[in-house]
Amino acid sequence: MTKIDFQQYVTEGFFDETFDNDKQVRPHYALFIDRLKKMGLKKLNLLQHSTDRVQMSLGMTFNVYSDNQGIERILHLDIIPRIINGQDWDFLEKGLKQRIQAMNLFIDDIYNDQKILKDKIIPKELIFSSSTYLKQCIGLKPPKGVWIHITGTDIIRGGDGAYYVLEDNLRCPSGVSYMLENREILKRSFPEVFEKLNVRPVYDYTHYLRDMLESLSPVAPASIAVLTPGIYNSAYFEHAYLAQQMGAELVEGRDLVVKNDFVYKITTKGLKRVDVIYRRVDDDFIDPEVFRPDSLLGTPGLFRAYLKGNVVLVNAPGTGVADDKAVYAYVPEIIKYYLGEEMILPNVQTYICDRKDDQKYVIENIADLVVKQTDASGGYGMLIGPKSTKEEQAEFIQKIKKNPRNYIAQPTINLSRVPTLTEEGIEGRHVDLRPYILYGSEMKIIPGALTRVALKKGSLVVNSSQGGGSKDTWVVDNL
C-alpha cells in the first residue's frame, strides 16, 4: 500500500486551509486527514475512479460551448472534501444575510424611488448605462417585495486567511445540483468519518426551495414550473434535477402559453395553469413581446402576466443590474445606506476604469491586476495580469480606453488552497466557494456550498467552463 504522508505537500506562499505554516493539521481537518493516511493512495484513486463513473451514470454533465472535443463532460468531483469549521460558516452566514438584504433594497429602490441615486451615493450614469438595467421594470413591485429569491455568491479566502466576496450572482445562479449530488457521493465514500464529524446537512435544499416558491404564489396549492432554455444549455442537468426533486414541471418557453394574462402549460389533456416559474432563462429571452423579439426561448405575454400579478417569476426580472461588476464596487456604500451598518463580509478592492484616477492606475499596473469585463461571467472577458503576455495586456489597455465603463480591475489574490487528488498524488489546488441563499418570507442559507477547484497546477481560474472542477463542502462544528 502506497502511504499518504503529506511530507511533500507544499504550503509555502499560500493560505492552506488544511495545514498551517508549520505543516500541522488544522483541528477541523484532523479526523479526515487521519482517515486518508490509513486508507492509502491506491484505495483513494479507486474511490476517485468510481466517483467519475457514478457522475457519468447519474448524468451529472454540463455543456461547454467553446469545446471542440465534444459538448458534454462531467464536472469533475475531487474525492477529497473541503472542510469548513462551523464558526467560520456562521460568520459567512451573517455577512451574506446582511448583503442580500441590502442588495434587495437597492434593486427595489433603483426601479422605484431611486433615492440612492438622488442622494448621489452611486452615480446615476453607472446604473442607467448598465446593460442589465431594464427600463421595463421601472415601477415594478414583486410579490412580498423580494427581487432576489435565489443567490449564489462567490467567496474566496485570501493569503491572509480572511474571506472576501468576489462577486454576486443574483440572476440565475447555477451549481446547486452539483452541491447536492456531490454530497450523496462523498458521504457514501467516507461513511464513518462523515458520521463522526457530524457534517451539517444540505439534503433539504430542494424542500426549502419548494417552500420558498410556494410562499410567493398568489394561489394555494401552487403549480410550479422550472423554465429551461432546453437540453443544449450548459446547466440542463441541474434544471431537470431540481424540477424532479421538487415535483415541479420542467418546461421550455414553447410549452407555455398566455391566455387572458394567465400562464398555462400545454398538456395532452388541455391547458394547465402555472402559478410560479423558477426561470433559468435570462431576462432578455423570457418574453419576445417585451425584450428580445428574436427570442425563441421565452413565451409571448409572460411579462404582462407577471405585471398583472397572475404569475410569479423567480428571480424577478431586472436583478442583473446588481450583478454588474462596477455596481459590486459600491456594495459597502449600499449596505451603509440602506441598513446603517458596516459591511461584515468585505469586498475585494476594486478599481472602476470609468474613474479617471482608477483607470490611470489600472493601465500603469495592469501586469499585477485582474481585469474583468463588467457584464461577463464564467471566467470569460478577463485578464489575469501576472499570467498574461505583453500583447494581451496591450490589447486590454486598448479595450479599457475605448470603453472604460465596461471594465473593472482588482488585485491578484492568491486564493486559498486545499488538498486535491492529482495524477502526481495529493497537491494543493486553489478554490472558491459558492453558498446558496434562498429568500422568500424568510432568508435561508444552506450549511454547505459548491466548492469550485482549479484543477490545473498554479491556475487561479476555478470556473467549470475554464477547466475547473468541484469538491463537496463539509461544514463541521468544532470537535
Side-chain angles (χ1 to χ4, degrees), residues 273-300:
R273 185 173 161 183
V274 177
D275 304 307
V276 182
I277 297 176
Y278 173 20
R279 63 184 183 94
R280 298 299 293 262
V281 175
D282 286 340
D283 290 345
D284 287 349
F285 298 95
I286 59 173
D287 186 343
E289 287 185 1
V290 180
F291 302 107
R292 285 185 56 157
D294 61 341
S295 172
L296 300 177
L297 302 177
T299 304

PDB file of all heavy atoms in Angstrom, residues 273-300:
ATOM      1  N   ARG A 273     -52.865  25.558 -15.589  1.00  0.00           N
ATOM      2  CA  ARG A 273     -52.345  26.848 -15.122  1.00  0.00           C
ATOM      3  C   ARG A 273     -51.028  26.688 -14.374  1.00  0.00           C
ATOM      4  O   ARG A 273     -50.816  25.713 -13.639  1.00  0.00           O
ATOM      5  CB  ARG A 273     -53.372  27.527 -14.214  1.00  0.00           C
ATOM      6  CG  ARG A 273     -52.928  28.932 -13.805  1.00  0.00           C
ATOM      7  CD  ARG A 273     -53.981  29.692 -13.056  1.00  0.00           C
ATOM      8  NE  ARG A 273     -53.391  30.806 -12.316  1.00  0.00           N
ATOM      9  CZ  ARG A 273     -54.069  31.610 -11.514  1.00  0.00           C
ATOM     10  NH1 ARG A 273     -55.363  31.428 -11.326  1.00  0.00           N
ATOM     11  NH2 ARG A 273     -53.443  32.591 -10.869  1.00  0.00           N
ATOM     12  N   VAL A 274     -50.138  27.678 -14.566  1.00  0.00           N
ATOM     13  CA  VAL A 274     -48.850  27.741 -13.863  1.00  0.00           C
ATOM     14  C   VAL A 274     -48.841  28.996 -12.999  1.00  0.00           C
ATOM     15  O   VAL A 274     -49.142  30.094 -13.483  1.00  0.00           O
ATOM     16  CB  VAL A 274     -47.668  27.761 -14.852  1.00  0.00           C
ATOM     17  CG1 VAL A 274     -46.342  27.906 -14.108  1.00  0.00           C
ATOM     18  CG2 VAL A 274     -47.658  26.509 -15.713  1.00  0.00           C
ATOM     19  N   ASP A 275     -48.505  28.846 -11.717  1.00  0.00           N
ATOM     20  CA  ASP A 275     -48.556  29.965 -10.774  1.00  0.00           C
ATOM     21  C   ASP A 275     -47.187  30.573 -10.484  1.00  0.00           C
ATOM     22  O   ASP A 275     -47.071  31.780 -10.261  1.00  0.00           O
ATOM     23  CB  ASP A 275     -49.170  29.508  -9.453  1.00  0.00           C
ATOM     24  CG  ASP A 275     -50.547  28.894  -9.653  1.00  0.00           C
ATOM     25  OD1 ASP A 275     -51.396  29.553 -10.282  1.00  0.00           O
ATOM     26  OD2 ASP A 275     -50.758  27.756  -9.197  1.00  0.00           O
ATOM     27  N   VAL A 276     -46.149  29.724 -10.436  1.00  0.00           N
ATOM     28  CA  VAL A 276     -44.794  30.191 -10.108  1.00  0.00           C
ATOM     29  C   VAL A 276     -43.823  29.590 -11.117  1.00  0.00           C
ATOM     30  O   VAL A 276     -43.857  28.376 -11.376  1.00  0.00           O
ATOM     31  CB  VAL A 276     -44.372  29.773  -8.689  1.00  0.00           C
ATOM     32  CG1 VAL A 276     -42.976  30.306  -8.364  1.00  0.00           C
ATOM     33  CG2 VAL A 276     -45.374  30.269  -7.649  1.00  0.00           C
ATOM     34  N   ILE A 277     -42.967  30.431 -11.677  1.00  0.00           N
ATOM     35  CA  ILE A 277     -41.961  29.953 -12.633  1.00  0.00           C
ATOM     36  C   ILE A 277     -40.573  30.255 -12.085  1.00  0.00           C
ATOM     37  O   ILE A 277     -40.207  31.419 -11.894  1.00  0.00           O
ATOM     38  CB  ILE A 277     -42.134  30.622 -14.013  1.00  0.00           C
ATOM     39  CG1 ILE A 277     -43.488  30.239 -14.609  1.00  0.00           C
ATOM     40  CG2 ILE A 277     -41.007  30.200 -14.956  1.00  0.00           C
ATOM     41  CD1 ILE A 277     -43.800  30.935 -15.929  1.00  0.00           C
ATOM     42  N   TYR A 278     -39.840  29.178 -11.786  1.00  0.00           N
ATOM     43  CA  TYR A 278     -38.420  29.316 -11.448  1.00  0.00           C
ATOM     44  C   TYR A 278     -37.689  29.305 -12.774  1.00  0.00           C
ATOM     45  O   TYR A 278     -37.519  28.279 -13.396  1.00  0.00           O
ATOM     46  CB  TYR A 278     -37.993  28.164 -10.540  1.00  0.00           C
ATOM     47  CG  TYR A 278     -36.512  28.082 -10.234  1.00  0.00           C
ATOM     48  CD1 TYR A 278     -35.659  29.177 -10.388  1.00  0.00           C
ATOM     49  CD2 TYR A 278     -35.948  26.889  -9.780  1.00  0.00           C
ATOM     50  CE1 TYR A 278     -34.314  29.085 -10.108  1.00  0.00           C
ATOM     51  CE2 TYR A 278     -34.589  26.783  -9.485  1.00  0.00           C
ATOM     52  CZ  TYR A 278     -33.789  27.885  -9.655  1.00  0.00           C
ATOM     53  OH  TYR A 278     -32.431  27.793  -9.371  1.00  0.00           O
ATOM     54  N   ARG A 279     -37.317  30.481 -13.212  1.00  0.00           N
ATOM     55  CA  ARG A 279     -36.779  30.591 -14.574  1.00  0.00           C
ATOM     56  C   ARG A 279     -35.267  30.439 -14.589  1.00  0.00           C
ATOM     57  O   ARG A 279     -34.550  31.023 -13.776  1.00  0.00           O
ATOM     58  CB  ARG A 279     -37.187  31.926 -15.197  1.00  0.00           C
ATOM     59  CG  ARG A 279     -36.618  33.131 -14.460  1.00  0.00           C
ATOM     60  CD  ARG A 279     -37.121  34.426 -15.052  1.00  0.00           C
ATOM     61  NE  ARG A 279     -36.517  35.565 -14.378  1.00  0.00           N
ATOM     62  CZ  ARG A 279     -35.421  36.182 -14.800  1.00  0.00           C
ATOM     63  NH1 ARG A 279     -34.811  35.767 -15.892  1.00  0.00           N
ATOM     64  NH2 ARG A 279     -34.930  37.211 -14.125  1.00  0.00           N
ATOM     65  N   ARG A 280     -34.779  29.670 -15.524  1.00  0.00           N
ATOM     66  CA  ARG A 280     -33.348  29.556 -15.753  1.00  0.00           C
ATOM     67  C   ARG A 280     -33.016  30.108 -17.144  1.00  0.00           C
ATOM     68  O   ARG A 280     -32.081  29.675 -17.803  1.00  0.00           O
ATOM     69  CB  ARG A 280     -32.906  28.103 -15.601  1.00  0.00           C
ATOM     70  CG  ARG A 280     -33.139  27.536 -14.204  1.00  0.00           C
ATOM     71  CD  ARG A 280     -32.381  28.273 -13.122  1.00  0.00           C
ATOM     72  NE  ARG A 280     -30.958  28.096 -13.260  1.00  0.00           N
ATOM     73  CZ  ARG A 280     -30.239  27.209 -12.582  1.00  0.00           C
ATOM     74  NH1 ARG A 280     -30.822  26.446 -11.677  1.00  0.00           N
ATOM     75  NH2 ARG A 280     -28.949  27.097 -12.770  1.00  0.00           N
ATOM     76  N   VAL A 281     -33.834  31.064 -17.556  1.00  0.00           N
ATOM     77  CA  VAL A 281     -33.667  31.774 -18.826  1.00  0.00           C
ATOM     78  C   VAL A 281     -33.405  33.238 -18.490  1.00  0.00           C
ATOM     79  O   VAL A 281     -34.103  33.829 -17.664  1.00  0.00           O
ATOM     80  CB  VAL A 281     -34.928  31.646 -19.704  1.00  0.00           C
ATOM     81  CG1 VAL A 281     -34.804  32.489 -20.963  1.00  0.00           C
ATOM     82  CG2 VAL A 281     -35.188  30.185 -20.063  1.00  0.00           C
ATOM     83  N   ASP A 282     -32.402  33.834 -19.111  1.00  0.00           N
ATOM     84  CA  ASP A 282     -32.038  35.218 -18.822  1.00  0.00           C
ATOM     85  C   ASP A 282     -33.151  36.195 -19.207  1.00  0.00           C
ATOM     86  O   ASP A 282     -33.981  35.923 -20.089  1.00  0.00           O
ATOM     87  CB  ASP A 282     -30.756  35.602 -19.557  1.00  0.00           C
ATOM     88  CG  ASP A 282     -29.524  34.971 -18.932  1.00  0.00           C
ATOM     89  OD1 ASP A 282     -29.594  34.571 -17.755  1.00  0.00           O
ATOM     90  OD2 ASP A 282     -28.491  34.865 -19.621  1.00  0.00           O
ATOM     91  N   ASP A 283     -33.130  37.370 -18.562  1.00  0.00           N
ATOM     92  CA  ASP A 283     -34.150  38.402 -18.769  1.00  0.00           C
ATOM     93  C   ASP A 283     -34.444  38.657 -20.251  1.00  0.00           C
ATOM     94  O   ASP A 283     -35.603  38.722 -20.656  1.00  0.00           O
ATOM     95  CB  ASP A 283     -33.687  39.731 -18.153  1.00  0.00           C
ATOM     96  CG  ASP A 283     -33.668  39.704 -16.632  1.00  0.00           C
ATOM     97  OD1 ASP A 283     -34.267  38.786 -16.044  1.00  0.00           O
ATOM     98  OD2 ASP A 283     -33.040  40.598 -16.032  1.00  0.00           O
ATOM     99  N   ASP A 284     -33.408  38.843 -21.035  1.00  0.00           N
ATOM    100  CA  ASP A 284     -33.568  39.248 -22.433  1.00  0.00           C
ATOM    101  C   ASP A 284     -34.396  38.268 -23.251  1.00  0.00           C
ATOM    102  O   ASP A 284     -34.935  38.630 -24.297  1.00  0.00           O
ATOM    103  CB  ASP A 284     -32.192  39.395 -23.109  1.00  0.00           C
ATOM    104  CG  ASP A 284     -31.460  40.637 -22.636  1.00  0.00           C
ATOM    105  OD1 ASP A 284     -32.091  41.471 -21.968  1.00  0.00           O
ATOM    106  OD2 ASP A 284     -30.259  40.759 -22.933  1.00  0.00           O
ATOM    107  N   PHE A 285     -34.486  37.028 -22.783  1.00  0.00           N
ATOM    108  CA  PHE A 285     -35.093  35.989 -23.608  1.00  0.00           C
ATOM    109  C   PHE A 285     -36.450  35.485 -23.105  1.00  0.00           C
ATOM    110  O   PHE A 285     -37.048  34.619 -23.724  1.00  0.00           O
ATOM    111  CB  PHE A 285     -34.131  34.794 -23.721  1.00  0.00           C
ATOM    112  CG  PHE A 285     -32.836  35.136 -24.385  1.00  0.00           C
ATOM    113  CD1 PHE A 285     -31.719  35.488 -23.635  1.00  0.00           C
ATOM    114  CD2 PHE A 285     -32.718  35.135 -25.767  1.00  0.00           C
ATOM    115  CE1 PHE A 285     -30.520  35.817 -24.247  1.00  0.00           C
ATOM    116  CE2 PHE A 285     -31.530  35.465 -26.392  1.00  0.00           C
ATOM    117  CZ  PHE A 285     -30.419  35.809 -25.621  1.00  0.00           C
ATOM    118  N   ILE A 286     -36.950  36.033 -21.969  1.00  0.00           N
ATOM    119  CA  ILE A 286     -38.140  35.423 -21.371  1.00  0.00           C
ATOM    120  C   ILE A 286     -39.434  35.767 -22.109  1.00  0.00           C
ATOM    121  O   ILE A 286     -40.398  35.013 -22.049  1.00  0.00           O
ATOM    122  CB  ILE A 286     -38.292  35.780 -19.870  1.00  0.00           C
ATOM    123  CG1 ILE A 286     -38.381  37.290 -19.667  1.00  0.00           C
ATOM    124  CG2 ILE A 286     -37.179  35.164 -19.054  1.00  0.00           C
ATOM    125  CD1 ILE A 286     -38.704  37.687 -18.227  1.00  0.00           C
ATOM    126  N   ASP A 287     -39.453  36.919 -22.804  1.00  0.00           N
ATOM    127  CA  ASP A 287     -40.694  37.334 -23.465  1.00  0.00           C
ATOM    128  C   ASP A 287     -40.363  38.159 -24.698  1.00  0.00           C
ATOM    129  O   ASP A 287     -39.955  39.321 -24.586  1.00  0.00           O
ATOM    130  CB  ASP A 287     -41.553  38.155 -22.492  1.00  0.00           C
ATOM    131  CG  ASP A 287     -42.925  38.494 -23.063  1.00  0.00           C
ATOM    132  OD1 ASP A 287     -43.110  38.386 -24.290  1.00  0.00           O
ATOM    133  OD2 ASP A 287     -43.808  38.879 -22.280  1.00  0.00           O
ATOM    134  N   PRO A 288     -40.544  37.588 -25.901  1.00  0.00           N
ATOM    135  CA  PRO A 288     -40.181  38.316 -27.131  1.00  0.00           C
ATOM    136  C   PRO A 288     -41.053  39.551 -27.377  1.00  0.00           C
ATOM    137  O   PRO A 288     -40.677  40.418 -28.157  1.00  0.00           O
ATOM    138  CB  PRO A 288     -40.389  37.268 -28.232  1.00  0.00           C
ATOM    139  CG  PRO A 288     -41.311  36.243 -27.638  1.00  0.00           C
ATOM    140  CD  PRO A 288     -41.025  36.237 -26.172  1.00  0.00           C
ATOM    141  N   GLU A 289     -42.188  39.670 -26.694  1.00  0.00           N
ATOM    142  CA  GLU A 289     -43.025  40.855 -26.860  1.00  0.00           C
ATOM    143  C   GLU A 289     -42.424  42.081 -26.171  1.00  0.00           C
ATOM    144  O   GLU A 289     -42.685  43.215 -26.562  1.00  0.00           O
ATOM    145  CB  GLU A 289     -44.427  40.606 -26.278  1.00  0.00           C
ATOM    146  CG  GLU A 289     -45.297  39.687 -27.114  1.00  0.00           C
ATOM    147  CD  GLU A 289     -46.708  39.584 -26.540  1.00  0.00           C
ATOM    148  OE1 GLU A 289     -46.981  40.247 -25.514  1.00  0.00           O
ATOM    149  OE2 GLU A 289     -47.517  38.845 -27.106  1.00  0.00           O
ATOM    150  N   VAL A 290     -41.598  41.839 -25.141  1.00  0.00           N
ATOM    151  CA  VAL A 290     -41.097  42.940 -24.307  1.00  0.00           C
ATOM    152  C   VAL A 290     -39.590  43.117 -24.441  1.00  0.00           C
ATOM    153  O   VAL A 290     -39.089  44.245 -24.455  1.00  0.00           O
ATOM    154  CB  VAL A 290     -41.459  42.693 -22.823  1.00  0.00           C
ATOM    155  CG1 VAL A 290     -40.952  43.827 -21.940  1.00  0.00           C
ATOM    156  CG2 VAL A 290     -42.960  42.534 -22.671  1.00  0.00           C
ATOM    157  N   PHE A 291     -38.873  42.020 -24.539  1.00  0.00           N
ATOM    158  CA  PHE A 291     -37.410  42.091 -24.573  1.00  0.00           C
ATOM    159  C   PHE A 291     -36.914  41.755 -25.988  1.00  0.00           C
ATOM    160  O   PHE A 291     -37.294  42.442 -26.920  1.00  0.00           O
ATOM    161  CB  PHE A 291     -36.825  41.186 -23.487  1.00  0.00           C
ATOM    162  CG  PHE A 291     -37.315  41.535 -22.102  1.00  0.00           C
ATOM    163  CD1 PHE A 291     -38.229  40.726 -21.425  1.00  0.00           C
ATOM    164  CD2 PHE A 291     -36.891  42.704 -21.478  1.00  0.00           C
ATOM    165  CE1 PHE A 291     -38.697  41.071 -20.166  1.00  0.00           C
ATOM    166  CE2 PHE A 291     -37.354  43.060 -20.213  1.00  0.00           C
ATOM    167  CZ  PHE A 291     -38.264  42.243 -19.561  1.00  0.00           C
ATOM    168  N   ARG A 292     -36.122  40.733 -26.151  1.00  0.00           N
ATOM    169  CA  ARG A 292     -35.606  40.439 -27.492  1.00  0.00           C
ATOM    170  C   ARG A 292     -36.686  39.811 -28.371  1.00  0.00           C
ATOM    171  O   ARG A 292     -37.158  38.708 -28.094  1.00  0.00           O
ATOM    172  CB  ARG A 292     -34.407  39.506 -27.394  1.00  0.00           C
ATOM    173  CG  ARG A 292     -33.151  40.192 -26.922  1.00  0.00           C
ATOM    174  CD  ARG A 292     -31.953  39.289 -26.955  1.00  0.00           C
ATOM    175  NE  ARG A 292     -31.686  38.694 -28.251  1.00  0.00           N
ATOM    176  CZ  ARG A 292     -30.496  38.246 -28.632  1.00  0.00           C
ATOM    177  NH1 ARG A 292     -29.478  38.339 -27.811  1.00  0.00           N
ATOM    178  NH2 ARG A 292     -30.324  37.707 -29.805  1.00  0.00           N
ATOM    179  N   PRO A 293     -37.052  40.476 -29.462  1.00  0.00           N
ATOM    180  CA  PRO A 293     -38.120  39.941 -30.322  1.00  0.00           C
ATOM    181  C   PRO A 293     -37.721  38.664 -31.059  1.00  0.00           C
ATOM    182  O   PRO A 293     -38.587  37.930 -31.530  1.00  0.00           O
ATOM    183  CB  PRO A 293     -38.392  41.082 -31.309  1.00  0.00           C
ATOM    184  CG  PRO A 293     -37.158  41.928 -31.288  1.00  0.00           C
ATOM    185  CD  PRO A 293     -36.589  41.804 -29.911  1.00  0.00           C
ATOM    186  N   ASP A 294     -36.392  38.405 -31.133  1.00  0.00           N
ATOM    187  CA  ASP A 294     -35.934  37.202 -31.845  1.00  0.00           C
ATOM    188  C   ASP A 294     -35.809  35.991 -30.928  1.00  0.00           C
ATOM    189  O   ASP A 294     -35.368  34.928 -31.359  1.00  0.00           O
ATOM    190  CB  ASP A 294     -34.587  37.471 -32.529  1.00  0.00           C
ATOM    191  CG  ASP A 294     -33.487  37.845 -31.538  1.00  0.00           C
ATOM    192  OD1 ASP A 294     -33.819  38.253 -30.398  1.00  0.00           O
ATOM    193  OD2 ASP A 294     -32.298  37.736 -31.898  1.00  0.00           O
ATOM    194  N   SER A 295     -36.183  36.133 -29.645  1.00  0.00           N
ATOM    195  CA  SER A 295     -36.028  35.030 -28.701  1.00  0.00           C
ATOM    196  C   SER A 295     -37.018  33.907 -28.988  1.00  0.00           C
ATOM    197  O   SER A 295     -38.223  34.136 -29.119  1.00  0.00           O
ATOM    198  CB  SER A 295     -36.222  35.512 -27.262  1.00  0.00           C
ATOM    199  OG  SER A 295     -36.260  34.406 -26.378  1.00  0.00           O
ATOM    200  N   LEU A 296     -36.489  32.698 -29.033  1.00  0.00           N
ATOM    201  CA  LEU A 296     -37.321  31.508 -29.174  1.00  0.00           C
ATOM    202  C   LEU A 296     -37.377  30.729 -27.858  1.00  0.00           C
ATOM    203  O   LEU A 296     -37.964  29.652 -27.795  1.00  0.00           O
ATOM    204  CB  LEU A 296     -36.765  30.599 -30.281  1.00  0.00           C
ATOM    205  CG  LEU A 296     -36.689  31.229 -31.673  1.00  0.00           C
ATOM    206  CD1 LEU A 296     -36.041  30.250 -32.662  1.00  0.00           C
ATOM    207  CD2 LEU A 296     -38.076  31.635 -32.165  1.00  0.00           C
ATOM    208  N   LEU A 297     -36.748  31.289 -26.803  1.00  0.00           N
ATOM    209  CA  LEU A 297     -36.643  30.587 -25.526  1.00  0.00           C
ATOM    210  C   LEU A 297     -37.748  30.966 -24.545  1.00  0.00           C
ATOM    211  O   LEU A 297     -37.994  30.245 -23.577  1.00  0.00           O
ATOM    212  CB  LEU A 297     -35.281  30.877 -24.871  1.00  0.00           C
ATOM    213  CG  LEU A 297     -34.043  30.501 -25.675  1.00  0.00           C
ATOM    214  CD1 LEU A 297     -32.785  30.912 -24.925  1.00  0.00           C
ATOM    215  CD2 LEU A 297     -34.020  29.013 -25.958  1.00  0.00           C
ATOM    216  N   GLY A 298     -38.391  32.100 -24.794  1.00  0.00           N
ATOM    217  CA  GLY A 298     -39.397  32.587 -23.854  1.00  0.00           C
ATOM    218  C   GLY A 298     -40.813  32.314 -24.321  1.00  0.00           C
ATOM    219  O   GLY A 298     -41.067  31.503 -25.219  1.00  0.00           O
ATOM    220  N   THR A 299     -41.748  33.049 -23.713  1.00  0.00           N
ATOM    221  CA  THR A 299     -43.164  32.891 -24.004  1.00  0.00           C
ATOM    222  C   THR A 299     -43.797  34.260 -24.207  1.00  0.00           C
ATOM    223  O   THR A 299     -43.719  35.109 -23.297  1.00  0.00           O
ATOM    224  CB  THR A 299     -43.884  32.175 -22.837  1.00  0.00           C
ATOM    225  OG1 THR A 299     -43.235  30.924 -22.579  1.00  0.00           O
ATOM    226  CG2 THR A 299     -45.356  31.955 -23.152  1.00  0.00           C
ATOM    227  N   PRO A 300     -44.401  34.537 -25.367  1.00  0.00           N
ATOM    228  CA  PRO A 300     -45.047  35.836 -25.581  1.00  0.00           C
ATOM    229  C   PRO A 300     -46.132  36.096 -24.538  1.00  0.00           C
ATOM    230  O   PRO A 300     -46.969  35.231 -24.257  1.00  0.00           O
ATOM    231  CB  PRO A 300     -45.658  35.691 -26.985  1.00  0.00           C
ATOM    232  CG  PRO A 300     -44.835  34.629 -27.660  1.00  0.00           C
ATOM    233  CD  PRO A 300     -44.453  33.673 -26.557  1.00  0.00           C
TER     234      PRO A 300
END
